Amino acid sequence: MDKYTGRCLELAKEAAQRGEIPVGAVVVRLSDGRIIGEGSNECEEKRLPTLHAEMNAINAACRFKGGWRLDDCVLYTSLEPCAMCAGAALNSHIKTVYFGARDTSGRGASALLRSAEYLGEDECSRILKDFFRKRRMTVDNIRLIEAVSDDQLRTVAEIADEIWHEHFPKIIGAGQTDYMVNKFCTFEAEKENIEKEGYLYYKIKKGADDLGYTAIKPDGDRLFLSKLYLRQQYRGKGYSRQVLELHRKYAAEHGFNAIWLTVNRGNDIALRAYEGLGFDRIGSGVADIGGGYVMDDYYFEIKV
């Protein structure tokens, strides 16, 4: 892999960490091989549809040169450009566009370019496939959308606050509910869980509706199902079974042999639900969580 495609991949990986589709691009001046403009996708972060990696790289190169003609430059991008980005390359008179992966969605527009070369870099394809496999797990009409951007994670925290305050005061009391929401379910707590402990948080969606949220974490040869909560109006409709099916699929693909979870002893509805889903009760425990409160739970497990 050449160094320019390598830089595109670095930019693409940075974009993925921000919740953007992982595409990176650089503009290279032919006279000295210098990168004079680079960019990655910023559509989600800045909420603008035109901020593709190629557009950002071309615009940066034009600012560097102080003009819009880039006829002494070439463009490298990790993904085949769309019609908009191909048009920008044409209008700026870029000599050649090199791209690492073909756009299999049908939106690729390299045929519009004066000169384009497909590099066939497997890593460029892999990073895109991995991103979408993680972002969109789907069974029937239920999707799990990974919360990777701050906005997405804040939405998860808002859903958690709603569900916990609706469901748990009658089980553990209002005081402990407030304490646990503040300790475990805020945006800051969830972000720390992702960064320090490897949690993955997902919104549970059906169409445009947010049904609830779920969270998982690798735990040795098992997958820990930390959260699976539905809003009140969506309970009892079989959605938990569909979410569990997606988690079992994820566990099998990643080499885990079981999924385990904890359920409060007083949460009769959840106890019956997980037993109905095929989980076996494997133990119990009491954990001090501070503030004068404990978690008094049963432990459940299901083989993958």
Side-chain angles (χ1 to χ4, degrees), residues 38-250:
E38 63 181 32
S40 59
N41 278 6
E42 296 180 323
C43 298
E44 296 293 338
E45 181 180 355
K46 297 185 178 177
R47 303 190 183 282
L48 292 170
T50 57
L51 297 184
H52 288 194
E54 300 94 327
M55 299 293 288
N56 289 332
I58 289 170
N59 289 338
C62 291
R63 288 193 296 269
F64 177 88
K65 292 193 67 178
W68 58 270
R69 288 183 175 272
L70 300 176
D71 49 6
D72 59 343
C73 300
V74 294
L75 173 70
Y76 285 79
T77 177
S78 57
L79 178 66
E80 182 180 6
C82 67
M84 174 183 69
C85 296
L90 280 169
N91 289 333
S92 60
H93 298 279
I94 285 176
K95 285 189 175 298
T96 302
V97 175
Y98 301 92
F99 58 96
R102 292 198 183 279
D103 188 338
T104 57
S105 71
R107 291 189 290 268
S110 58
L112 300 176
L113 296 162
R114 296 187 189 90
S115 175
E117 183 174 334
Y118 169 52
L119 300 177
E121 294 289 353
D122 291 341
E123 180 69 7
C124 294
S125 299
R126 186 194 63 78
I127 191 174
L128 286 159
K129 290 176 181 177
D130 286 351
F131 177 81
F132 285 111
R133 183 167 60 245
K134 288 177 65 178
R135 286 288 302 273
R136 300 189 183 276
M137 297 195 293
T138 306
V139 61
D140 296 332
N141 55 351
I142 297 299
R143 295 179 297 149
L144 299 187
I145 307 299
E146 186 182 357
V148 291
S149 71
D150 285 355
D151 283 348
Q152 290 170 327
L153 203 57
R154 286 191 177 93
T155 299
V156 168
E158 291 169 2
I159 295 170
D161 185 278
E162 173 194 326
I163 293 172
W164 274 73
H165 281 105
E166 174 270 321
H167 183 69
F168 281 100
K170 58 183 175 289
I171 299 172
I172 59 177
Q176 183 165 348
T177 299
D178 288 341
Y179 178 82
M180 293 184 70
V181 168
N182 290 331
K183 186 176 179 67
F184 300 117
C185 301
T186 62
F187 164 76
E188 292 78 12
E190 291 170 350
K191 194 171 182 69
E192 184 174 353
N193 283 341
I194 292 171
E195 294 174 349
K196 294 185 177 181
E197 299 190 45
Y199 278 80
L200 300 172
Y201 284 84
Y202 299 88
K203 291 190 293 182
I204 304 169
K205 294 190 74 72
K206 179 182 179 183
D209 295 330
D210 291 327
L211 309 190
Y213 78 108
T214 183
I216 55 176
K217 184 187 79 164
D219 183 24
D221 59 0
R222 299 187 299 173
L223 185 67
F224 176 45
L225 177 51
S226 173
K227 309 282 191 301
L228 199 175
Y229 297 124
L230 295 171
R231 286 172 158 152
Q232 186 176 27
Q233 65 268 36
Y234 299 117
R235 295 172 201 154
K237 301 180 184 296
Y239 297 141
S240 292
R241 185 177 297 276
Q242 291 173 290
V243 173
L244 176 61
E245 184 179 337
L246 290 169
H247 285 320
R248 293 187 74 172
K249 179 180 178 182
Y250 177 95

Side-chain angles (χ1 to χ4, degrees), residues 225 228 240-241 244 248 259 261-284 297-303:
L225 177 51
L228 199 175
S240 292
R241 185 177 297 276
L244 176 61
R248 293 187 74 172
I259 297 172
L261 54 86
T262 65
V263 181
N264 185 278
R265 288 174 183 265
N267 195 347
D268 293 332
I269 294 174
L271 292 172
R272 290 195 299 270
Y274 283 115
E275 288 171 347
L277 289 169
F279 279 83
D280 296 318
R281 192 180 300 184
I282 60 172
S284 63
D297 295 332
Y298 287 120
Y299 304 150
F300 287 83
E301 182 181 83
I302 190 170
K303 297 298 183 183

